[in-house]
RNA sequence: UGGGGAUUCGUCUAGUGGUAGGACGACAGACUCUGGAUCUGUAAGCCGAGGUUCGAAUCCUCGAUCCCCAGCCA
């Protein structure tokens, strides 16, 4: 929340935060009006058919922040009504990702349920330690849902339809052509009940019949043209096994799951706006005793240079374009985590982008800002040379080693200092030396000087080349009085570069990640093949990197700033004791790169 | 051309009849032993046309453009 813009009245402090998005305002109004006994209960209802991505994070943050703000609850619920696409692998990843994202922030609002309980009553996971808990499952309510369906039949508000899928489509009409009533629309309650029970008993094949709501085939809203409520699927369900061969559709299951769990505000994305009349119709048709939940819609996240559809992300994986759901180039929470994004930075990002009904395209720089901001404050600075160029200091004794003091984080004095070894042979970055430098290049050039970070001023006195002309070694000298903190240390030198001592450094693999696509909207347009826009440079693996000694002990997942280069984290999977592998999370802002891009 | 939504700097977002503000990005400068961080400054916007009003981003009318809906997916 930003600060109030209101002027203080008298000696009173400024008023409470004023920037509230429309969902927040709705909830505040409902609490004010005493709806639901002033209670707020939201839910995050992913379908376990893929991994959670940054778009889900927006929804998670929204739902949990509302629960948090109003002292309410937020249920984690698997929206698992389609057995053919769902899997326990996804259930587990979703649990982990949600927990990771909200940990220490909204975990008090999180509601799970006692293992095996199907009542829809939640428990606080952190307030009931030791208790076996699990997410809510829409599939836990299949029994209750079935009863509601029979109730609807008895009320004459639903019927069994024998139309084939193709016929059903034809009868439905099109947006500007009214539908026609199904010939089975006026079956008796008794016949409907009998048929429905036999559907459940497994007497019919997949697709042979459906249960449909009896609403209005001439409605301008297609979702009100007798929508299918139940379909036959002889399939094993990841949570209910072989217990059922009929499964409820989303529209039937979702509103009722909300009702069963006592959800007050059912927040979803814009594409469900046209379903809202159906959400309300089902709940009202059942004439339920308790106050009903209501659905609200917000715009899903679109982020530049990436994809935000589970189907397309799965395609990337199946075509081996990425290595898995947690490939650091993926916009999944597991991918971002592995890339080095903190939960904090993602929450900050979600707060920054706001919540509206405008379907926009969020600039990727906003996400980069969030992680840079976070890591700038927290990450320890280290020196690492990605593409080494050997430097021999001719006026430095061969057997001498000095330990130089370096600060761990200039943004945080409490992070302390460390000692780094300096010796006659060093590595510097190939990019930090140029024989024929362009204007404004102020690093090392033949005959020129540069400051070695935390060490001496270095002068290049000779360049050794391979037969092919490639520079293989720099012969240099140091100004012995120029040691950081020394007598002539304050001599002004334009450039400062990083380095490592050749005999002390650790060799490591570093993976340089870049955006996955070359265009902002790889899936824009009617039928685009987003693979055409894959960025061939989205991953570059460097195996000859030389890092300062302390990095040998980097812990999996630990983040650092490699000075002048960017933020890197030790890969959680491939880092082994003494043998780290680093992922570049994000580069530092690079004024030099910008300078180079300028036309001239 | 049926229905449902949306439209404010390049991007995201405030504003609810009374000076269009913030953030990112861009640009310029200061500072800097990270071309980082930090600081300062600059440019940049109400989809359009009418109307109501002393006064309109805001209210009314008519247009324009974009998104969503014709799964027995969610």
């Amino acid at each position: 929340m930003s600060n109030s813009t209101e002027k203080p009245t008298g000696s009173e402090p400024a008023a409470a935060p004023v920037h509230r998005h429309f969902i927040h305002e709705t909830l505040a109004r409902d609490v004010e009006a005493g709806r639901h006994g002033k209670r707020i209960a939201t839910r995050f209802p992913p379908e376990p058919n893929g991994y959670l991505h940054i778009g889900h994070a927006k929804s998670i943050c929204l739902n949990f922040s509302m629960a948090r703000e109003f002292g309410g609850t937020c249920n984690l619920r698997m929206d698992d009504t389609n057995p053919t696409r769902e899997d326990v692998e996804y259930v587990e990843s979703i649990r982990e990702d949600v927990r990771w994202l909200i940990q220490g922030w909204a975990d008090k609002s999180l509601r799970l349920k006692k293992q095996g309980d199907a009542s829809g009553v939640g428990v606080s996971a952190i307030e009931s330690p030791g208790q076996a808990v699990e997410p809510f499952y829409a599939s836990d309510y299949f029994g209750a849902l079935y009863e509601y369906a029979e109730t609807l039949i008895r009320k004459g508000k639903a019927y069994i339809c024998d139309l084939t899928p193709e016929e059903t489509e034809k009868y439905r009409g099109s947006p500007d052509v009214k539908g026609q009533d199904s010939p089975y629309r006026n079956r008796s309650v008794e016949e409907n009940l009998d048929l429905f029970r036999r559907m459940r008993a497994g007497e019919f094949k997949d697709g042979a019949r459906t249960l449909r709501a009896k609403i209005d085939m001439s409605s301008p809203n297609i979702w009100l043209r007798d929508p299918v409520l139940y379909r036959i699927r002889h399939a094993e369900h990841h949570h209910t096994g072989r217990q059922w061969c009929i499964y409820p559709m989303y529209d039937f299951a979702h509103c009722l799951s909300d009702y069963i769990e006592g959800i007050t505000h059912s927040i979803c994305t814009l594409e469900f706006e046209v379903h809202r009349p159906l959400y309300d119709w089902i709940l009202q048709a059942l004439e339920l005793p308790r106050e009903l939940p209501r659905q609200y819609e917000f715009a899903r996240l679109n982020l530049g240079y990436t994809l935000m559809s589970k189907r397309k992300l799965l395609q990337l994986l199946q075509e081996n374009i990425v290595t898995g759901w947690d490939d650091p180039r993926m916009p999944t929470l597991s991918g971002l985590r592995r890339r080095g994004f903190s939960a904090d930075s993602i929450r900050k990002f979600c707060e920054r982008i706001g919540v509206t009904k405008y379907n926009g395209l969020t600039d990727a720089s906003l996400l980069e800002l969030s992680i840079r901001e976070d890591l700038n404050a927290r990450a320890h600075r280290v020196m690492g040379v990605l593409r080494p160029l050997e430097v021999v200091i001719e006026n430095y004794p061969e057997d001498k080693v000095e330990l130089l003091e370096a600060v761990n984080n200039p943004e945080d004095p409490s992070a302390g200092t460390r000692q780094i070894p300096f010796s006659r042979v060093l590595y510097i970055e190939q990019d930090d030396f140029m024989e024929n430098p362009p204007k404004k290049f102020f690093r090392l050039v033949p005959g020129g000087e540069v400051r070695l970070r935390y060490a001496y001023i270095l002068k290049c006195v000779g360049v050794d080349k391979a037969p092919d002309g490639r520079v293989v070694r720099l012969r240099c000298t140091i100004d012995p009085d120029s040691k950081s903190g020394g007598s002539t240390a304050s001599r002004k030198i334009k450039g400062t570069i990083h380095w490592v001592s050749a005999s002390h450094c650790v060799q490591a693999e570093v993976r340089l990640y870049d955006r996955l696509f070359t265009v902002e909207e790889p899936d824009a347009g009617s039928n685009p093949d987003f693979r055409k826009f894959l960025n061939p440079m989205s991953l570059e693996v460097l195996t000859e990197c030389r890092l300062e000694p302390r990095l040998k002990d980097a812990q999996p997942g630990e983040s650092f700033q490699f000075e002048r280069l960017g933020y890197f984290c030790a890969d959680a999977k491939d880092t082994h004791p003494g043998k780290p592998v680093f992922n570049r999370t994000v580069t530092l802002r690079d004024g030099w790169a910008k300078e180079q891009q300028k036309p001239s």
Side-chain angles (χ1 to χ4, degrees), chain A residues 255-256 259 278-288 292-293:
Chain A
C255 56
L256 286 166
Y259 178 79
L278 179 55
Y279 184 101
D280 293 335
W281 184 91
I282 293 169
L283 293 175
Q284 281 160 17
L286 255 5
E287 297 171 276
L288 299 160
L292 302 179

Side-chain angles (χ1 to χ4, degrees), chain A residues 447-458:
Chain A
E449 283 186 320
V450 78
R451 159 73 66 182
L452 290 173
R453 180 83 159 142
Y454 295 124
Y456 299 89
I457 292 171
L458 183 78

Side-chain angles (χ1 to χ4, degrees), chain A residues 236-249:
Chain A
E236 180 160 350
H237 186 279
H238 69 93
H239 189 63
T240 61
R242 289 262 169 210
Q243 219 179 314
W244 296 87
C245 64
I246 56 171
Y247 291 93
M249 298 287 290

Side-chain angles (χ1 to χ4, degrees), chain A residues 350-411:
Chain A
C350 291
E351 191 180 303
R352 270 200 173 98
I353 58 178
V355 178
T356 66
K357 298 189 76 147
Y358 176 67
N359 197 330
L361 175 66
T362 296
D363 203 304
S365 68
L366 236 51
L367 183 59
E368 291 184 354
L369 169 78
S370 300
I371 186 60
R372 284 196 185 113
E373 198 174 69
D374 182 39
L375 260 15
N376 178 51
R378 289 174 29 226
H380 283 200
R381 273 60 171 173
V382 293
M383 292 199 286
V385 174
L386 266 27
R387 297 175 179 88
L389 172 60
E390 189 179 311
V391 166
V392 177
I393 304 167
E394 297 183 325
N395 64 341
Y396 199 85
E398 272 190 53
D399 51 357
K400 185 174 177 183
V401 176
E402 284 181 275
L403 288 177
L404 305 173
E405 186 168 75
V407 312
N408 287 327
N409 185 352
E411 306 292 321

Side-chain angles (χ1 to χ4, degrees), chain A residues 7 48 103 172 304 348 371 381 437 481 485 492 555 564 572:
Chain A
K7 294 160 196 80
Q103 187 89 247
R172 184 160 35 228
K348 193 73 187 289
I371 186 60
R381 273 60 171 173
D481 292 330
K492 278 287 177 211
Q555 297 303 300
R564 305 208 304 131

Side-chain angles (χ1 to χ4, degrees), chain A residues 252-285:
Chain A
F252 189 67
H254 204 94
C255 56
L256 286 166
S257 298
D258 285 342
Y259 178 79
I260 290 166
E261 292 176 12
I263 299 304
T264 60
H265 299 262
S266 185
I267 304 168
C268 62
T269 46
L270 253 27
E271 65 268 29
F272 292 101
E273 218 155 14
V274 288
H275 292 242
R276 194 187 336 139
L278 179 55
Y279 184 101
D280 293 335
W281 184 91
I282 293 169
L283 293 175
Q284 281 160 17

Side-chain angles (χ1 to χ4, degrees), chain A residues 389-551:
Chain A
L389 172 60
E390 189 179 311
V391 166
V392 177
I393 304 167
E394 297 183 325
N395 64 341
Y396 199 85
E398 272 190 53
D399 51 357
K400 185 174 177 183
V401 176
E402 284 181 275
L403 288 177
L404 305 173
E405 186 168 75
V407 312
N408 287 327
N409 185 352
E411 306 292 321
D412 176 17
S414 73
T417 61
R418 68 186 184 288
Q419 308 266 293
I420 45 181
F422 183 86
S423 64
R424 179 179 162 96
V425 182
L426 310 176
Y427 291 115
I428 66 168
E429 207 71 60
Q430 287 171 18
D431 284 355
D432 286 338
F433 172 79
M434 280 188 105
E435 266 196 296
N436 303 297
K439 260 192 140 173
K440 293 188 184 173
F441 180 84
F442 41 90
R443 279 113 92 158
L444 196 58
V445 300
E449 283 186 320
V450 78
R451 159 73 66 182
L452 290 173
R453 180 83 159 142
Y454 295 124
Y456 299 89
I457 292 171
L458 183 78
K459 182 174 189 174
C460 175
V461 296
V463 180
D464 293 349
K465 295 182 183 179
D468 63 0
R470 200 166 43 88
V471 176
V472 292
R473 180 163 37 246
L474 262 27
R475 282 180 285 108
C476 299
T477 57
I478 53 159
D479 171 355
D481 292 330
S482 68
K483 187 157 87 168
S484 295
S487 62
T488 56
S490 59
R491 245 175 82 207
K492 278 287 177 211
I493 292 291
K494 195 87 181 257
T496 299
I497 64 172
H498 59 277
W499 53 274
V500 294
S501 166
S503 54
H504 301 88
C505 64
V506 50
Q507 184 170 338
E509 176 177 324
V510 176
R511 299 164 183 167
L512 267 22
Y513 294 103
D514 200 355
R515 50 179 60 136
L516 236 194
F517 294 95
T518 55
V519 296
E520 261 203 309
E521 293 183 273
D523 57 349
S526 48
N527 186 25
D529 182 4
F530 55 80
R531 289 168 305 185
K532 280 188 304 208
F533 305 115
L534 282 165
N535 177 9
M537 296 298 287
S538 66
L539 169 61
E540 187 178 0
V541 179
L542 268 21
T543 55
E544 294 296 318
C545 308
R546 309 296 157 106
L547 314 177
E548 69 167 82
R550 78 150 290 189
L551 258 9

